[in-house]
Amino acid sequence: MLVHSKAINKLAPSDYAMIEKEHQQLEKYLADLRDACACSLLPDSDGPACSKEQQTSCQGRMPSFLFHIIDLAGRHFDHEESIMLSRPNISENNDYFRVHRQAHLDIMKTLQGLADNYFDVTEKSGAAEVYRLFYEKIAGIFDEHDRQFDDPFIESTKQKSVEPNNN
């Protein structure tokens, strides 16, 4: 999300405020996820450095993190699509909009898959490793989305020339 934080200041003030607030929430979520399990912050060693109680606590908290990111991302994507549709020459039939919306749907499917498969992954990897893996996966998903879609769209809001309509 930090990838395009400078570019979003070219949006309408209300759109900018909404996107900036949501990006701050997503950044806070990622920091909270990264730091939530003390065991996951410890360097890998020959065995678990945390007690069984600490591991259990970490394991019990993960589902709420997963469902929270699904809620945050879903609301953010809805807002982002509304902003896109408010731009001149952008409609639901626009090729770029359709591909961007599909990317949102794919991310939501991936996040839901993480939630659905959480217990299977935890049994194989342990709670601390799951926090590390999920943090890396979720951060990577959003960073890649920013590079592929959000940055180019936000940059397009700066252009003054009329772009061809891809309807």
Side-chain angles (χ1 to χ4, degrees), residues 7-69:
I8 65 175
N9 64 8
K10 300 297 182 184
L11 296 171
S14 61
D15 293 341
Y16 171 81
M18 182 186 337
I19 295 296
E20 184 66 20
K21 179 182 175 187
E22 290 173 349
H23 282 186
Q24 288 171 355
Q25 290 172 333
L26 289 167
E27 291 291 339
K28 182 178 181 335
Y29 166 85
L30 285 170
D32 289 348
L33 176 64
R34 181 194 63 226
D35 300 338
C37 181
C39 303
S40 71
L41 300 174
L42 299 172
D44 290 332
S45 62
D46 293 334
C50 289
S51 69
K52 182 158 180 67
E53 292 81 14
Q54 288 171 308
Q55 288 280 337
T56 301
S57 175
C58 290
Q59 185 177 359
R61 296 175 64 203
M62 180 56 83
S64 65
F65 272 101
L66 292 171
F67 290 110
H68 185 60
I69 192 58

Side-chain angles (χ1 to χ4, degrees), residues 69-84:
I69 192 58
I70 290 168
D71 180 57
L72 277 176
R75 282 187 282 126
H76 177 65
F77 294 156
D78 288 345
H79 292 152
E80 192 176 273
E81 290 172 14
S82 294
I83 291 168
M84 289 177 69

Side-chain angles (χ1 to χ4, degrees), residues 147-162:
R147 279 190 295 281
Q148 285 186 337
F149 294 100
D150 293 347
D151 290 343
F153 171 71
I154 290 169
E155 287 298 319
S156 76
T157 67
K158 295 187 216 180
Q159 297 174 1
K160 296 189 189 251
S161 64
V162 177

Side-chain angles (χ1 to χ4, degrees), residues 74-139:
R75 282 187 282 126
H76 177 65
F77 294 156
D78 288 345
H79 292 152
E80 192 176 273
E81 290 172 14
S82 294
I83 291 168
M84 289 177 69
L85 289 171
S86 72
R87 301 289 303 159
N89 301 319
I90 301 288
S91 72
E92 290 194 17
N93 295 325
N94 177 276
D95 290 338
Y96 178 78
F97 178 81
R98 287 196 332 258
V99 170
H100 196 146
R101 177 180 270 172
Q102 185 59 52
H104 289 166
L105 294 171
D106 292 345
I107 290 170
M108 294 303 291
K109 183 178 177 180
T110 298
L111 294 174
Q112 188 62 53
L114 288 174
D116 292 346
N117 295 317
Y118 166 68
F119 291 106
D120 293 337
V121 174
T122 303
E123 286 180 16
K124 294 175 187 170
S125 301
E129 182 62 17
V130 169
Y131 271 84
R132 281 192 288 269
L133 292 171
F134 283 11
Y135 170 79
E136 291 171 8
K137 175 93 173 161
I138 293 168

